[in-house]
Amino acid sequence: MAALRLRESVIAAKQKLATDREKLKRQHEAGTPGVQLCAQITDCFDSIILDLVNAAANDVEGFTPEKVLANLAIVPHGGYGRRDTAPYSDIDLMILHEPTFREPAIRFTKRLQQDVFDVGLILGHSLRTPSQATSFALSDATIFTSLAENRYLAGSVSLFRRFAEPFRRKARLNFRRLYKAIMKSRDEERAQYGEVVHMLEPNIKRSSGTLRGIQMVRWLGFARYGENELDALNRVGAISDKDRKSLRDAREYLLRLRNELHFHAGKSSDLLDRAEQIRIAELYGYEGTEGLLPVEQFMQTYFEHTSGVRDAARHFIASIRPQSIFLSVLGPVMTRRVDRDFHVGPYRISTSRRWKQRRAGQLDEVLELMIAANRFGRHIDHPTWEVIRRKFQGNVDVELTETTRKLFLSLLAEPGRLGELLRRLHELRLLEKIVPDMAHARCLLQFNQYHKYTVDAHCIKTVECACGFLNRDDMLGDVYRSIKKKWLLHLALLIHDLGKGFPEDHSIVGARIAEEVADRFWLSPQDKETLVHLVLYHLQMSHLAFRRDTSDEQLVLRFAMDNGPAERLKMLYVLTCADFAGVGPGTLNDWKVRVLTDLYRRSMLHLGGDDTLDTVQQRRKKLDALASLVRGHQNEDWFKRVIDSLPDGFLRETPASQIINDLEQLQAMRDDSPMVTCLYREDRGVLEITIGTREALMQGVFHRLTGAVTSQRMTILAAEINTLADGLVLDRYFVQDKDHEGEPPAERLEDICQRIRKYLTDPADQAPTFTSTWTSRNQRMAEEAISIPTDIKIDNETAENYTIVEVFTQDRQGLLYQISRLLFEMGLSVHVARITTHLDQVVDVFYVTDADDKKIFDDKRLDGIKLALRESLAEQNS
């Protein structure tokens, strides 16, 4: 019935839209190029809009259609204006009108707006006179960038020209102001949709290096030269032949990809999420290799295109950047010559004409310039970089001389702007001439939710993060500043993950690469050994800190001996922190820094690299302090007995006043009511939940508590199960509250304690109810498509008194409870737990004993534990 109320022109347009979209979809599936298909989509929309415009003109009372259209001009703009229209794109129209024709124009616009909506298209429109359109565009960057790509569709040609020609002329006159406004607007958008070109789930329209980068060239080209077509910008010398080709190829690739996203979704869709990446990789015929998934191959191609856009757009933007009036006047006065060819200004370093003509194409000279730029803390000015870029764009062969090797290591020695300069070398493809394995890592995706960048971007980012430690006011900053051979640390960071993308373990492949790099740079045997060691064992410190019980001093001693001498341990500590920081924003948090720093401090004791009291002295000092606090207490003997049974880790990490407070509550605890406290640790940014029970009364306390905590929407980071004197158990859990950032309110903490206490005393020991979390269909598809295989490992070597069970599997709700309960049902007691979650993958580590509190040696039983865990987790996954 609703269709009967539509006008005939609307019904016809609606039918045409459905028919044409279906036909265009078949053409897309048959392989029609993206640019060509977008032009055909635009033609389809044009045809529909023209019919609706004529129908709306017929509907303006008191005026003939000819009179209406003589006083209006229909102007497509934005993507519709440049004919980049995707199947379900919005339509942006500006309706220009004569100043004396406003009321009829309003009636016309209302009719057109309703008809376009009824057809099923989304219309963005404005109604303006030519002078209003120009004025608004010149005062608002968003309006300007949309109207910069306009074309005539219908109505008065002369009216359109009264807008288009003055707009083009005034844009060029206002270029300096427009440039700043456009760049500010783009910076805000990029911060929202992804600053880095190698983000894992990009928006192919708005993220860095995507269609928006090409559009930026067009918008700024229009403002500067009055031209927005790439060919026209090439003709006026604004972009090189190579950049024009790079941008045109990327435009074709991205438009075809965008058409696929739209057609598959049946609506506007620009997000290339993980599910779509998997689907399109299969659709495009990527087969993968032994070391690379098909989706990783597909995304490597994608990132190669977006990197090309990023580099070309950045170069164009820099080439037309208006020079500061201040610098143009005072810059020459404030610039000093540091040698014959380098001139250091207030913000940038520049080169002489002679250097540009004779030396810009020599790698050694470019490295010399970069070393100077780093030493003086200056950017390389654009005219110099433009010449360098042009010289090396042909991918010329580069000979690695002894001088080149020395200069590159000298560049690595100074933090400064090292990350930025390494990216510049990588952009020129010179970094892979110096370190050949960077070519394999270029744009190489790691298809997981943990790493936010491609392998090459991550490696360079870790160097930049390490350099940033220079300004930290803590142990991490002190250690970084004290490292003598920073070049060796930075080189290790630059190559530490280059072994990824091969079938073999990436640390082992990386160690071989490190040997080749060491030989390539003629490193001394000692430096070569350090470089290979840092790459081979770059994960060891993080695995020990977050997967093992580091209260075991023998374990710390072995780690120290394996990674000594002291200078090498310093490098490993900084490398580990930088590796975390280079994963993505916020990954290296205060909690991780504290845990790694504690392990570093204690390891350095064994290497003579720290004057801190040794472990025995620390324990004795802490015990004496606690003894003084309970002296004269009516239960002094009980307190001393229990204090003497506290493990080293608990004593070291817990303030004396808190220990006494916990023990007082433990001493006063009733058998039917376990002690539960919840404290926010501001120094770590986590909640510390402490539970006291009697061992005989609370069998299987770990799985019970795990269920209680995780059912309250809290993530367990680590757990300690401490068995004390007199059969007492004092457990401590470090958790993050998903419902609150920072310190939760007092009522939340009290509620957590009450719920945990209630659950622990429930005689039924029933499984808790976990709050459901909504996930989209695409998320579920991605999880299914990249399901991480479950792996169970048994370690009977590391701990003297415990069997260590490691569970590697895909994260899901209630997982930790499921594992811990199964361990309990198999008659195992959990003494220490380490929980590491990387968004989509978990590594849960449990130190366990059997019912007799003994380590498990029987191979048959160990195999049974592995089998039971694997089957239970596989059943849960199915």
Side-chain angles (χ1 to χ4, degrees):
M1 294 294 293
L4 296 178
R5 293 196 293 269
L6 298 178
R7 302 199 310 174
E8 289 184 7
S9 57
V10 172
I11 295 173
K14 198 174 183 69
Q15 291 172 343
K16 176 177 173 55
L17 178 62
T19 301
D20 284 0
R21 267 189 180 149
E22 188 58 37
K23 181 175 70 175
L24 291 164
K25 183 177 181 181
R26 289 195 299 270
Q27 289 181 219
H28 166 75
E29 291 168 347
T32 299
V35 172
Q36 182 179 328
L37 193 80
C38 287
Q40 292 176 347
I41 295 168
T42 304
D43 290 341
C44 166
F45 287 0
D46 281 355
S47 176
I48 290 171
I49 294 298
L50 284 170
D51 288 343
L52 296 180
V53 164
N54 290 327
N58 265 312
D59 205 37
V60 180
E61 293 184 10
F63 297 92
T64 65
E66 293 77 14
K67 180 69 172 177
V68 171
L69 293 179
N71 285 275
L72 299 176
I74 311 302
V75 183
H77 56 87
Y80 185 34
R82 66 178 168 268
R83 301 176 64 80
D84 274 357
T85 321
Y88 292 89
S89 289
D90 297 352
I91 288 178
D92 291 322
L93 287 178
M94 179 172 64
I95 301 168
L96 292 174
H97 66 89
E98 293 286 1
T100 58
F101 202 71
R102 181 160 182 81
E103 288 305 318
I106 292 174
R107 296 200 296 272
F108 167 86
T109 302
K110 287 182 178 178
R111 180 72 265 175
L112 179 63
Q113 179 187 11
Q114 184 62 52
D115 286 353
V116 172
F117 175 80
D118 289 340
V119 167
L121 294 173
I122 300 175
L123 176 67
H125 72 282
S126 59
L127 179 64
R128 292 169 183 149
T129 65
S131 61
Q132 287 174 336
T134 301
S135 176
F136 291 155
L138 295 177
S139 61
D140 186 290
T142 302
I143 298 174
F144 175 83
T145 54
S146 185
L147 291 184
E149 303 188 275
N150 63 77
R151 59 188 174 88
Y152 167 83
L153 180 61
S156 169
V157 174
S158 64
L159 185 61
F160 170 72
R161 286 176 176 167
R162 279 163 47 202
F163 155 72
E165 292 170 5
F167 178 49
R168 182 188 304 268
R169 185 177 64 256
K170 290 181 179 180
R172 296 185 66 178
L173 292 173
N174 287 272
F175 170 67
R176 179 181 294 274
R177 181 168 51 81
L178 287 170
Y179 178 95
K180 292 179 181 179
I182 293 169
M183 293 304 298
K184 180 182 178 183
S185 176
R186 176 55 183 147
D187 287 344
E188 292 169 353
E189 182 181 58
R190 191 162 45 221
Q192 179 180 356
Y193 289 97
E195 180 70 29
V196 180
V197 71
H198 303 112
M199 294 296 284
L200 287 187
E201 293 190 325
N203 181 301
I204 67 168
K205 180 180 177 182
R206 291 186 169 90
S207 295
S208 182
T210 59
L211 290 167
R212 189 63 95 221
I214 303 171
Q215 292 159 19
M216 283 287 289
V217 172
R218 296 171 62 99
W219 297 337
L220 290 168
F222 180 80
R224 176 67 178 84
Y225 301 103
E227 300 285 356
N228 56 25
E229 292 296 337
L230 298 180
D231 288 347
L233 292 171
N234 174 250
R235 283 195 298 272
V236 299
I239 58 175
S240 67
D241 291 342
K242 191 175 188 307
D243 284 345
R244 177 185 60 170
K245 183 179 185 307
S246 178
L247 293 171
R248 290 182 65 174
D249 289 350
R251 178 174 177 243
E252 165 58 36
Y253 179 85
L254 292 170
L255 288 179
R256 176 161 172 75
L257 184 57
R258 190 180 185 212
N259 291 340
E260 174 58 35
L261 291 175
H262 276 228
F263 276 130
H264 182 256
K267 61 181 180 180
S268 178
S269 176
D270 297 325
L271 181 65
L272 189 59
D273 62 24
R274 298 207 301 169
E276 283 295 81
Q277 292 169 22
I278 295 166
R279 182 186 68 81
I280 294 173
E282 181 179 355
L283 179 70
Y284 283 11
Y286 288 91
E287 296 180 353
T289 65
E290 193 175 356
L292 281 179
L293 296 171
V295 66
E296 292 172 334
Q297 288 183 316
F298 161 63
M299 289 304 291
Q300 191 167 25
T301 303
Y302 171 86
F303 287 133
E304 284 171 354
H305 280 294
T306 54
S307 294
V309 171
R310 186 266 322 271
D311 294 343
R314 186 172 62 191
H315 181 75
F316 173 75
I317 290 168
S319 69
I320 64 169
R321 180 187 293 115
Q323 186 175 1
S324 161
I325 296 175
F326 168 79
L327 286 180
S328 63
V329 175
L330 297 180
V333 178
M334 301 173 67
T335 297
R336 67 185 189 278
R337 180 180 295 180
V338 295
D339 69 11
R340 185 177 178 184
D341 292 306
F342 297 161
H343 307 143
V344 178
Y347 303 106
R348 293 179 175 82
I349 187 169
S350 59
T351 55
S352 67
R353 180 181 300 177
R354 187 178 73 92
W355 190 94
K356 292 182 179 71
Q357 291 174 344
R358 300 181 184 179
R359 300 185 179 182
Q362 301 172 32
L363 177 55
D364 291 357
E365 296 291 341
V366 173
L367 290 174
E368 288 270 22
L369 174 63
M370 287 186 164
I371 291 169
N374 208 18
R375 183 179 303 125
F376 290 104
R378 301 292 193 269
H379 295 287
I380 298 172
D381 78 331
H382 183 73
T384 297
W385 188 251
E386 185 174 23
V387 173
I388 294 171
R389 190 169 180 267
R390 188 170 61 247
K391 294 281 188 180
F392 285 101
Q393 271 193 329
N395 286 327
V396 296
D397 291 333
V398 175
E399 181 183 358
L400 192 65
T401 65
E402 181 179 359
T403 302
T404 309
R405 295 180 179 94
K406 289 180 178 179
L407 288 171
F408 185 67
L409 296 182
S410 295
L411 176 65
L412 291 179
E414 295 292 333
R417 299 181 180 275
L418 181 57
E420 170 195 328
L421 294 169
L422 288 174
R423 285 193 191 90
R424 288 277 187 157
L425 284 173
H426 196 42
E427 174 189 333
L428 293 175
R429 296 185 180 267
L430 291 177
L431 190 55
E432 60 201 52
K433 306 292 185 183
I434 301 170
V435 182
D437 289 279
M438 285 297 296
H440 163 78
R442 179 179 286 276
C443 301
L444 179 62
L445 176 73
Q446 301 169 79
F447 198 66
N448 56 50
Q449 284 279 25
Y450 182 54
H451 283 278
K452 300 299 181 190
Y453 312 122
T454 54
V455 173
D456 55 334
H458 167 70
C459 288
I460 295 173
K461 185 70 175 177
T462 60
V463 177
E464 186 172 51
C465 291
C467 295
F469 297 160
L470 187 71
N471 300 314
R472 286 184 69 108
D473 185 21
D474 59 3
M475 173 65 77
L476 179 55
D478 290 341
V479 172
Y480 176 74
R481 287 186 288 271
S482 74
I483 292 174
K484 298 179 179 64
K485 294 183 177 180
K486 288 186 176 63
W487 64 266
L488 188 56
L489 167 66
H490 296 154
L491 182 59
L493 282 164
L494 183 63
I495 68 173
H496 78 282
D497 264 356
L498 297 188
K500 291 190 172 179
F502 298 99
E504 201 173 355
D505 180 275
H506 82 278
S507 296
I508 296 173
V509 178
R512 290 200 294 269
I513 292 172
E515 289 181 349
E516 295 168 2
V517 169
D519 292 339
R520 188 174 180 82
F521 283 95
W522 300 341
L523 300 189
S524 69
Q526 182 180 350
D527 289 341
K528 177 179 179 178
E529 181 187 358
T530 298
L531 182 69
V532 173
H533 183 94
L534 290 173
V535 174
L536 180 60
Y537 297 108
H538 73 271
L539 295 174
Q540 188 182 64
M541 191 173 194
S542 62
H543 285 184
L544 181 62
F546 299 105
R547 298 185 188 178
R548 289 294 182 266
D549 177 18
T550 52
S551 66
D552 182 349
E553 208 56 43
Q554 289 300 311
L555 188 62
V556 176
L557 172 61
R558 287 201 299 274
F559 169 74
M561 294 300 102
D562 289 345
N563 291 282
E567 188 72 8
R568 187 162 73 183
L569 182 59
K570 286 181 179 181
M571 291 187 186
L572 183 61
Y573 165 57
V574 174
L575 184 149
T576 303
C577 292
D579 197 12
F580 273 118
V583 165
T587 306
L588 182 69
N589 53 30
D590 290 342
W591 164 267
K592 289 190 177 79
V593 172
R594 185 186 179 96
V595 172
L596 291 168
T597 301
D598 177 68
L599 176 57
Y600 166 76
R601 284 177 183 272
R602 293 166 55 213
S603 300
M604 286 296 284
L605 286 173
H606 300 291
L607 299 177
D610 194 4
D611 60 358
T612 312
L613 293 172
D614 64 28
T615 305
V616 175
Q617 290 176 301
Q618 284 180 318
R619 179 179 176 85
R620 187 70 267 160
K621 186 176 180 181
K622 191 65 170 281
L623 290 175
D624 290 344
L626 291 170
S628 67
L629 291 174
V630 298
R631 190 169 292 121
H633 196 285
Q634 60 180 356
N635 295 307
E636 181 178 348
D637 291 342
W638 179 90
F639 275 102
K640 286 184 176 180
R641 191 164 59 251
V642 175
I643 287 171
D644 285 342
S645 68
L646 290 171
D648 291 340
F650 191 93
L651 282 170
R652 185 174 57 252
E653 288 291 320
T654 312
S657 59
Q658 185 182 335
I659 292 176
I660 297 301
N661 183 63
D662 287 345
L663 294 186
E664 285 177 341
Q665 294 189 59
L666 192 62
Q667 200 272 334
M669 176 184 65
R670 303 196 316 266
D671 288 348
D672 62 346
S673 180
M675 160 206 163
V676 182
T677 64
C678 189
L679 172 69
Y680 180 70
R681 293 289 296 270
E682 188 173 2
D683 59 335
R684 300 185 178 192
V686 298
L687 290 179
E688 179 180 306
I689 301 175
T690 304
I691 300 94
T693 61
R694 298 192 184 279
E695 194 173 18
L697 299 176
M698 193 61 69
Q699 293 297 317
V701 66
F702 180 70
H703 82 270
R704 284 171 170 256
L705 180 79
T706 296
V709 171
T710 52
S711 67
Q712 301 306 307
R713 287 186 52 76
M714 290 183 287
T715 300
I716 298 177
L717 301 174
E720 300 171 0
I721 297 89
N722 303 303
T723 303
L724 311 182
D726 295 353
L728 294 170
V729 177
L730 191 64
D731 297 347
R732 188 164 58 169
Y733 297 78
F734 298 99
V735 306
Q736 287 182 332
D737 189 348
K738 294 180 181 179
D739 291 341
H740 296 88
E741 288 189 12
E743 183 173 4
E747 53 270 24
R748 166 67 170 167
L749 299 181
E750 180 58 31
D751 183 58
I752 290 171
C753 291
Q754 289 181 3
R755 289 176 181 272
I756 291 174
R757 192 177 292 111
K758 180 180 178 181
Y759 184 74
L760 290 176
T761 55
D762 181 3
D765 189 17
Q766 295 180 346
T769 300
F770 297 100
T771 306
S772 298
T773 303
W774 180 86
T775 56
S776 69
R777 175 176 172 272
N778 276 349
Q779 286 176 299
R780 294 193 298 272
M781 285 176 59
E783 289 169 2
E784 292 168 6
I786 61 162
S787 181
I788 298 167
T790 295
D791 188 20
I792 313 296
K793 294 182 179 179
I794 301 292
D795 176 3
N796 250 343
E797 302 298 325
T798 300
E800 183 178 352
N801 300 316
Y802 306 107
T803 294
I804 301 174
V805 180
E806 291 184 319
V807 181
F808 300 78
T809 192
Q810 189 142 349
D811 195 19
R812 56 186 175 274
Q813 274 199 324
L815 173 67
L816 185 57
Y817 172 78
Q818 178 191 359
I819 297 171
S820 58
R821 183 172 185 113
L822 184 58
L823 292 174
F824 168 69
E825 291 171 349
M826 288 190 289
L828 303 176
S829 295
V830 177
H831 296 267
V832 177
R834 288 286 184 268
I835 294 89
T836 306
T837 304
H838 296 321
L839 297 178
D840 58 348
Q841 180 180 9
V842 296
V843 183
D844 291 342
V845 181
F846 306 90
Y847 283 58
V848 303
T849 57
D850 62 14
D852 297 323
D853 207 23
K854 303 290 186 183
K855 193 173 180 177
I856 306 157
F857 291 102
D858 182 69
D859 289 339
K860 187 174 181 180
R861 183 161 191 204
L862 292 174
D863 289 341
I865 292 170
K866 292 170 68 174
L867 180 62
L869 283 167
R870 190 175 289 111
E871 288 180 346
S872 175
L873 295 175
E875 181 180 339
Q876 190 72 17
N877 273 333
S878 61

